[in-house]
Amino acid sequence: MTQSPKSSNRVNPTLLRPTYQNRLRVIGHHLDTNEYRDVAILEIDGGFIARATPRRGKRAQALEFPDTQFEQLMQGAVNYRGHGPTYDNRSSVLPTGYEDFLRGLGFLLDNQSAIAVTICELDQHVLITGQEPSDNVAGHEAFRRFERYLSGDDIQQLLDDAFNRRTGRPRRGGFLGIF
């Protein structure tokens, strides 16, 4: 007997807040369930654009994730999680796929109060750039650019910390000071 998707009215309201963690989780879910690879994600005014290659394709495609559709995208991701086909979308740099990684990264970006984020998957690293708050200058909020390369070990630590947060297990001392 096939189970039907969960009712959309059961989505936790905190998941419907347009945080980096939630918005990147939706993007990761889409990338995993549709078998994309070689991903670059760019935050734009009003959402995100991703450049990704279908697993069985050779040409990259542009994917749009507008903030105006975020709630519907999140409800779909949550309601259909565990239903339908699943794919092994792991890579050498992202051992559990995009959704887990992007969700964990989004948590860090939210805590950092980051803006204007770009995420680029490379062969052995993930490059994250953006802007973060800097010291106030003459009463104005100021930002400075940041650039971080995450190695496989950094990514594994990020995933471990995210898992420990979700399960209530003690953390291993934070995320290596990267963020």
Side-chain angles (χ1 to χ4, degrees), residues 93-135:
V93 72
L94 300 175
T96 63
Y98 293 102
E99 184 175 358
D100 289 339
F101 169 72
L102 290 173
R103 181 180 181 184
L105 178 61
F107 175 85
L108 297 174
L109 294 170
D110 287 332
N111 285 342
Q112 185 179 350
S113 300
I115 61 170
V117 172
T118 301
I119 303 160
C120 187
E121 177 184 14
L122 306 170
D123 286 339
Q124 300 298 318
H125 295 85
V126 174
L127 170 64
I128 298 115
T129 64
Q131 295 182 29
E132 61 190 352
S134 183
D135 295 331

Side-chain angles (χ1 to χ4, degrees), residues 104-177:
L105 178 61
F107 175 85
L108 297 174
L109 294 170
D110 287 332
N111 285 342
Q112 185 179 350
S113 300
I115 61 170
V117 172
T118 301
I119 303 160
C120 187
E121 177 184 14
L122 306 170
D123 286 339
Q124 300 298 318
H125 295 85
V126 174
L127 170 64
I128 298 115
T129 64
Q131 295 182 29
E132 61 190 352
S134 183
D135 295 331
N136 286 346
V137 178
H140 299 306
E141 189 172 26
F143 288 86
R144 66 175 172 254
R145 186 177 186 282
F146 70 85
E147 179 176 290
R148 310 284 194 278
Y149 285 92
L150 302 184
S151 68
D153 289 341
D154 298 332
I155 291 165
Q156 188 59 57
Q157 179 70 49
L158 180 146
L159 294 170
D160 289 347
D161 285 351
F163 176 77
N164 290 340
R165 271 193 309 276
R166 287 193 303 271
T167 60
R169 294 181 181 171
R171 294 176 61 198
R172 292 191 315 174
F175 185 63
L176 305 176

Side-chain angles (χ1 to χ4, degrees), residues 10-23:
R10 290 188 165 175
V11 175
N12 183 331
T14 60
L15 294 178
L16 297 177
R17 290 192 341 240
T19 61
Y20 276 112
Q21 182 175 3
N22 292 339
R23 293 183 300 160

